[in-house]
Amino acid sequence: MASEGKQRDSRAGGTGLLSWRRLRRASQILALVLFIYLLLNVRRDGGGWLAHDLFFRLNPLAGMATMLAARQWMLPLALGGVVLALTLLLGRAWCGWICPLGTVLDWARPPRRLQRRVSLPPQWRQTRYLVLFAVLFSALLGSLAFMVLDPVTLLQRSITSAILPATHSVVAWSEKLLYRFQPLQTPLEHIDGFLRDTVLPLEQPFYLPALLVLAVFGGVLALNAIKPRFWCRYLCPLGGLLALVSRVSLMRHAVNREACTACQRCARECSLEAIPSSGTFVAHPAECTLCLDCLESCPTGAISFRAGTPPAEPAPGGISRRAALASVAAIGLGAGLLRLAPVLGKAEPLTLRPPGTSETDLRQKCIRCGQCINVCPTGALQAGVLKSGYDGLWTPVMVPRHGYCDFACRRCGEVCPTGAIPLLSLEEKRRAVIGKAEIDKSRCIPWANGLNCIVCQEMCPLTEKAIELSQATAANSEGYQTALLLPEVIEERCIGCGICEHQCPVRGEAAIRVRRA
Amino acid sequence: MSISRREFIQQMLSLGVSAAVVAAALSILDCSSQPFPGPGSDNTTPPPPPPPPPGDAAYLAVARGESPRAMVEAALAALGGIERFVRPGNDVIIKPNICVSFRTPEYAATTNPEVVGALVALCLGAGAGRVRVMDNPFSGSAEEAYPTSGIEEAVRSAGGEMEVMAGMKYQDTAIPYGQKISHWPIYRDILETDVVIDVPIAKHHGLARLTLGMKNLLGVVTNPGALHTDMPQKLTDLATLVRPHLTVIDGVRILMNNGPSGGSLSDVKMANTVIASHDIVAADAYAATLFDLQGEDIGAIRAAAHRGLGTMDLDAIKIEEIPVGA
C-alpha cells in the first residue's frame, strides 16, 4: 500500500495535507456523500449519469447471494468482483475506505472516556462467518431473506424508510406551524421549494415498519458504544466475506522488528483491535480494515504495508469444531424453515406485488435494498415485513390504501438492481395485472347507502374504464327520486392499479379492494 | 460524574415543566388556526350574486375559431378587456385542469396549453406583478403532470410560473355560506391572491355528467374525494367561498365520454370554442350546450343558480358570440 518513501512522508507530516489518514477519511466521506446523493437522486431521475445502484452492484455479497439464489449469471452484479479483486490485493479496504455504514459507525464512535472497558471473547468474531453462512446457504435454497443483514441494504433502509420520513414529518409540521406568521411566509416558501423533491419527497412518506427499522439501526449504533465498529467486527456478513478473502490478500501489515519499540501505541490506536498488544504487533489481515491509523501512530515508523509477507498467525480465537458444526446445523435447519412459508402454495389474497413481478423472482432476486420502496412516488410500495412468510421477509408489497400504482410510472422496474422487478415499457406496465378490484356492496356508498359517489369510476385511468356505472333511481335525503349511479367492476379490464381503493371515500377499509388475480 | 437523587429529580421536573409549557404554547397556536363557526347546515343567507358587468361589456363571451390564442383574446376583448379583471401589480393565480400526469393535451383530459399561455400573456400585458399557474393532480405528481400536459412550457414561455401546491398552504378555512360543509382545508393563496382565473376544460364526467368551472375548483382543496357524495350542494358551498374573478372554459377539444381522464381520441371532439365570463354559473351553463345539454341538466349548475351564485338563464344575459377567422 505505502512505499517506503511515502511512508516516511506520512510520518514526517502526520498532519500534512496528504497523510494517509486524511486520504482515507476523504474517501469515506466521499463514498457516504455519494451513497446518500444516489438514494435521494434516484427518486428524481434515476441517478443521473451515475448508476443509481452503484453500491448494490459493488457489493459482492449481494451479487453472490443473488446469483446463487437465482441460479443464473447476472452481469450487472459482477461489479462486486471488482471489490473482491481489490480485497485480494489490499485486504478489507472496502470496510475502512468505502462502506457507508462503516463510515457512519466510525463517526458514531463514543468518546474514548465513555467507551466501556469490556473485553469480549475473541471467538465472537466468528459470528460474522455464521451470518455469512446463513446468507449464502439460504440463498442456495432459493431465498434471500437474510440479505436484510447486509450493511449496504441496512443503511439504505434506515435512511429511506425511517430517517427521511421522520425528517419530513418534522419539517412539514414546523412549516405548517410557522406559516401562520406573515413575515415568515416568503422565506418558508423558498425553503420548502428548495427541499421538495431534492432532499425531501413531495409527499409525506409513511412506512409501516419504520420504527422496527429505526430500532435495528439504533441497535447497531448502540453496540458501537461497547466496541468501536462492533457491527463490523462481530456481525457484518459482508465484512465476513471480505475477511475470508483478506486472509490471502497480497498486501499485508508488516512490522519492522528492529525499529519496533513495543510501545503498544498501534494496538491501542487500532479501532478494530486487529493488532495484538504483545508479540509481533502484526495486524491480522482478516480484521484489519486498512484504516492506517497505526501507520501514523508509530513513533519509529516501524509499520508498513507491503506485498508478499508471509501469512500472519491464525485469527485470534477460533471456536471449537463442535460449536462450529452445531451452529452450521442450526443455521441450515433455520434456512430450511424459511422455505416453509405458506404463501408459496397459496398467496395471501391481499399481498399485491409490484407490476409484472413474480413471487419466485422476488424471493430469489430481491436483495431487500428497498430501492423500489424509496422511489415509489405514491407510497404504494411498502416493505412487507412478514406479510408473505419468513421467506418473503422485507420484499415489497403494494398497499393501495397507502398509494396507488401511478399509470405514468414504472420507476420500481427501472431502479431494481437485480431485475427482481422486471423493467417493463410503460405500455407493458399498463397491461401488467397486479390484481383485480372487487366492490364490497355492503359498504359501497351508492350500493349500501343509496347516495351517489363514483369516485372509483372517475379515478380509473384506463381508456376503457374497468368500472362502469349503471343507472338506478333512489329516494334521496329529501325524499325526491334521483338518479343513482351504481359502480360495477369489469374484471377483464382491471389491472389492479388500486387508485380506486386508494381514493375510495369510505372510512377505514375501502369499499373497493384489489385482490390478487 | 454522578448526580444526587435530588439533582436528578430537579432536572427531570424542570424538563417536564418546560416540555409541558412548549406543548401548551403549541396547542394554543394550533387552536387559533380554526376560525370557523359551528356547522352551517341551517345557514340560509344567500351569498352575494356576481356584480353586473361594467358599461356595455358582454356578460358572457363565446369565441369560435381555429386558434386558441385568438379565441381567448377575442373573448376577453368582448368582456371589456383583461384590464377589467387584472390591475397593474396584481398577483394572479390561474387554475387550469391538470387532473392526471399521463395524458397529453390531444386527449382533452387537461386544459389546452395555448389557452393557458394566452391568458398568462394577457395578464402580464395588463401589468400583473406575478402570474402563477397551479393544479393538484389526482393521479401522479404535479412535477410530472405539468410538463406532460404541455402547460408548463406554454406558461414559462409566456412569462408565468408554475407552482407546485405546497402542503403547508392548505389551511382549514370556514365556509360561512356553506350548507353541507362549514369548513374545509383550502389552498390559502387561492383565497388571498388578487385575481383567480378558473380555466377548466369542458369534459364528460361520470357523476357530475360534465366537469366545468365549478368542478375544477376541487383542485384547490384537500381530500376532494370526500366531496363526491351530494356533490352539487358541496361544490356550491365551495363556490360560495372560492369565487374566481373570471372563468374561461376551454372548449377547443372537448371530451365526450370516459371522462375525466379519457384516453381515446375517438372520445375527443373538436368544438373550437372558448367561453368566458365573470359568472362561473353562466359560463358552465353555456359550456353544457356544447354537449347538447342545458345548465338545468347539471346538478351543480342548478344548485349554484338556485343559491344565487350566478345565473344559468342564458336568455337573460348579454352574450356576445365572436367568430375568429383563421
Side-chain angles (χ1 to χ4, degrees):
Chain A
M1 179 97 214
S3 72
E4 290 293 328
K6 267 264 174 62
Q7 194 202 118
R8 223 170 291 121
D9 284 350
S10 68
R11 218 182 327 123
T15 52
L17 197 62
L18 264 184
S19 77
W20 281 109
R21 193 197 302 226
R22 287 194 171 203
L23 266 180
R24 189 252 307 162
R25 287 209 175 138
S27 158
Q28 282 185 295
I29 291 171
L30 207 67
L32 182 65
V33 167
L34 182 64
F35 180 75
I36 293 174
Y37 167 79
L38 287 177
L39 71 82
L40 291 176
N41 200 55
V42 67
R43 289 189 307 223
R44 261 188 313 177
D45 60 0
W49 56 272
L50 270 165
H52 58 80
D53 51 1
L54 183 70
F55 281 85
F56 302 114
R57 292 215 249 154
L58 276 175
N59 181 343
L61 181 63
M64 280 170 69
T66 312
M67 289 190 227
L68 259 181
R71 287 151 182 70
Q72 90 190 48
W73 168 250
M74 296 158 107
L75 187 65
L77 295 180
L79 202 59
V82 174
V83 172
L84 281 185
L86 180 83
T87 312
L88 262 179
L89 202 66
L90 300 175
R92 285 173 68 181
W94 162 275
C95 304
W97 288 60
I98 299 170
C99 178
L101 182 61
T103 304
V104 170
L105 292 179
D106 271 348
W107 286 345
R109 192 191 304 184
R112 232 167 240 276
R113 63 187 170 83
L114 288 182
Q115 276 173 33
R116 297 252 221 101
R117 298 196 189 285
V118 286
S119 72
L120 298 175
Q123 54 266 39
W124 279 28
R125 293 195 192 248
Q126 311 297 334
T127 318
R128 61 186 183 209
Y129 299 120
L130 295 178
V131 179
L132 172 67
F133 177 71
V135 174
L136 293 179
F137 186 72
S138 59
L140 193 66
L141 292 184
S143 165
L144 288 176
F146 280 116
M147 277 301 289
V148 292
L149 295 175
D150 176 85
V152 184
T153 71
L154 189 137
L155 185 63
Q156 163 104 6
R157 187 163 49 240
S158 304
I159 295 177
T160 57
S161 15
I163 297 171
L164 273 179
T167 314
H168 188 287
S169 160
V170 171
V171 169
W173 185 81
S174 341
E175 276 179 349
K176 199 145 195 166
L177 193 75
L178 296 175
Y179 199 73
R180 304 213 187 97
F181 306 104
Q182 198 76 36
L184 295 177
Q185 287 176 351
T186 315
L188 274 174
E189 279 165 30
H190 287 293
I191 295 171
D192 190 66
F194 167 74
L195 288 176
R196 289 299 136 190
D197 210 25
T198 49
V199 181
L200 297 176
L202 291 172
E203 306 260 334
Q204 170 73 56
F206 176 69
Y207 302 113
L208 297 168
L211 273 181
L212 182 62
V213 173
L214 204 62
V216 171
F217 187 59
V220 171
L221 291 183
L223 288 173
N224 231 36
I226 302 177
K227 290 281 180 195
R229 285 203 178 217
F230 185 101
W231 165 266
C232 315
R233 295 182 190 202
Y234 301 112
L235 299 171
C236 181
L238 177 57
L241 175 67
L242 298 180
L244 285 180
V245 177
S246 299
R247 283 165 188 258
V248 291
S249 65
L250 186 69
M251 286 282 192
R252 278 162 192 283
H253 177 261
V255 178
N256 181 345
R257 309 281 317 243
E258 277 136 51
C260 175
T261 59
C263 67
Q264 301 185 338
R265 208 172 286 182
C266 55
R268 276 201 306 275
E269 198 73 19
C270 181
S271 61
L272 280 111
E273 292 181 56
I275 300 177
S277 47
S278 61
T280 60
F281 295 101
V282 173
H284 192 277
E287 310 303 327
C288 174
T289 62
L290 270 91
C291 72
L292 306 185
D293 283 353
C294 55
L295 207 65
E296 289 181 5
S297 71
C298 183
T300 60
I303 298 175
S304 61
F305 282 82
R306 54 174 82 186
T309 14
E313 304 160 18
I319 46 175
S320 72
R321 190 170 303 161
R322 181 181 291 188
L325 279 177
S327 312
V328 164
I331 289 170
L333 288 179
L337 255 189
L338 287 186
R339 305 284 301 155
L340 296 184
V343 286
L344 283 182
K346 270 203 178 106
E348 288 286 322
L350 294 172
T351 302
L352 306 170
R353 295 303 195 180
T357 310
S358 85
E359 205 60 43
T360 333
D361 272 358
L362 264 191
R363 270 149 226 282
Q364 298 180 349
K365 293 185 189 166
C366 172
I367 57 168
R368 275 67 169 176
C369 65
Q371 195 74 296
C372 51
I373 298 170
N374 180 29
V375 299
C376 181
T378 67
L381 290 184
Q382 297 274 331
V385 180
L386 287 174
K387 227 177 163 198
S388 50
Y390 303 116
D391 199 13
L393 181 71
W394 225 273
T395 46
V397 293
M398 189 184 111
V399 185
R401 207 52 172 154
H402 284 283
Y404 54 92
C405 185
D406 181 352
F407 204 57
C409 174
R410 55 184 192 121
R411 303 280 274 287
C412 51
E414 282 174 336
V415 301
C416 181
T418 62
I421 302 174
L423 176 56
L424 305 176
S425 71
L426 206 48
E427 281 314 305
E428 288 169 325
K429 198 225 73 162
R430 286 174 177 177
R431 285 192 305 267
V433 175
I434 298 169
K436 297 284 180 187
E438 202 176 276
I439 295 174
D440 178 352
K441 290 180 181 166
S442 67
R443 302 181 70 239
C444 172
I445 295 170
W447 285 102
N449 306 53
L451 294 169
N452 273 317
C453 172
I454 70 102
V455 173
C456 52
Q457 187 265 0
E458 175 181 15
M459 295 297 152
C460 183
L462 298 173
T463 304
E464 270 195 294
K465 286 184 185 289
I467 295 170
E468 286 202 341
L469 303 171
S470 60
Q471 288 259 7
T473 49
N476 71 3
S477 52
E478 282 123 47
Y480 298 111
Q481 292 288 311
T482 56
L484 184 63
L485 297 166
L486 298 168
E488 293 270 11
V489 176
I490 314 295
E491 209 183 288
E492 312 82 88
R493 296 180 193 162
C494 181
I495 57 168
C497 74
I499 194 169
C500 50
E501 178 174 342
H502 179 66
Q503 302 274 15
C504 174
V506 171
R507 291 198 186 112
E509 188 178 290
I512 182 163
R513 298 200 74 180
V514 180
R515 289 170 193 280
R516 264 175 105 102
Chain B
M1 190 194 84
S2 69
I3 53 171
S4 71
R5 187 176 302 158
R6 176 177 294 189
E7 278 171 332
F8 177 74
I9 292 173
Q10 276 175 351
Q11 284 173 6
M12 286 299 118
L13 269 180
S14 58
L15 199 70
V17 169
S18 18
V21 168
V22 170
L26 291 179
S27 62
I28 288 166
L29 283 172
D30 226 32
C31 289
S32 64
S33 71
Q34 293 168 18
F36 47 82
S41 52
D42 56 347
N43 192 345
T44 47
T45 339
D56 62 346
Y59 192 93
L60 183 139
V62 182
R64 292 199 178 81
E66 296 285 307
S67 157
R69 171 175 302 274
M71 284 191 280
V72 169
E73 285 165 359
L76 259 299
L79 291 183
I82 189 76
E83 296 77 10
R84 184 181 144 194
F85 306 97
V86 179
R87 308 251 181 279
N90 273 179
D91 183 72
V92 181
I93 292 182
I94 297 179
K95 163 66 177 75
N97 183 328
I98 312 178
C99 61
V100 294
S101 65
F102 52 80
R103 291 277 182 254
T104 43
E106 63 273 20
Y107 288 100
T110 52
T111 303
N112 188 301
E114 276 190 73
V115 168
V116 182
L119 276 171
V120 172
L122 281 177
C123 292
L124 288 172
R130 185 184 186 197
V131 181
R132 283 177 288 168
V133 178
M134 59 186 81
D135 193 11
N136 187 13
F138 65 72
S139 178
S141 69
E143 243 106 350
E144 286 175 324
Y146 287 176
T148 312
S149 67
I151 290 175
E152 181 167 283
E153 204 198 321
V155 168
R156 293 254 162 86
S157 59
E161 2 171 336
M162 299 300 297
E163 175 164 319
V164 174
M165 297 175 84
M168 64 183 172
K169 292 193 187 175
Y170 289 93
Q171 297 195 344
D172 209 356
T173 312
I175 304 178
Y177 294 108
Q179 294 183 353
K180 293 279 177 182
I181 45 172
S182 57
H183 62 96
W184 206 262
I186 298 175
Y187 203 67
R188 171 192 155 276
D189 291 16
I190 292 282
L191 299 171
E192 295 191 355
T193 189
D194 300 319
V195 182
V196 174
I197 306 180
D198 186 18
V199 196
I201 175 170
K203 291 190 288 187
H204 162 265
H205 183 269
L207 175 61
R209 295 188 78 171
L210 296 179
T211 152
L212 300 165
M214 287 177 57
K215 177 98 188 355
N216 194 36
L217 298 179
L218 282 186
V220 304
V221 304
T222 56
N223 194 12
L227 297 177
H228 278 62
T229 49
D230 214 350
M231 188 151 77
Q233 293 302 332
K234 290 179 182 169
L235 272 184
T236 304
D237 282 354
L238 182 62
T240 62
L241 185 68
V242 184
R243 302 192 72 168
H245 301 80
L246 171 65
T247 299
V248 178
I249 298 181
D250 160 26
V252 180
R253 296 183 187 93
I254 60 176
L255 184 63
M256 304 302 288
N257 208 352
N258 290 314
S261 53
S264 168
L265 292 177
S266 60
D267 290 333
V268 178
K269 179 182 156 189
M270 294 304 292
N272 293 321
T273 308
V274 167
I275 301 155
S277 175
H278 67 294
D279 179 346
I280 190 170
V281 184
D284 280 6
Y286 192 96
T289 63
L290 299 178
F291 297 82
D292 294 324
L293 295 167
Q294 301 299 315
E296 275 289 341
D297 299 327
I298 313 297
I301 300 179
R302 207 168 52 227
H306 284 303
R307 202 85 75 83
L309 273 179
T311 178
M312 60 175 180
D313 183 0
L314 298 177
D315 296 329
I317 55 174
K318 182 187 172 191
I319 298 177
E320 199 167 323
E321 306 205 18
I322 317 120
V324 180

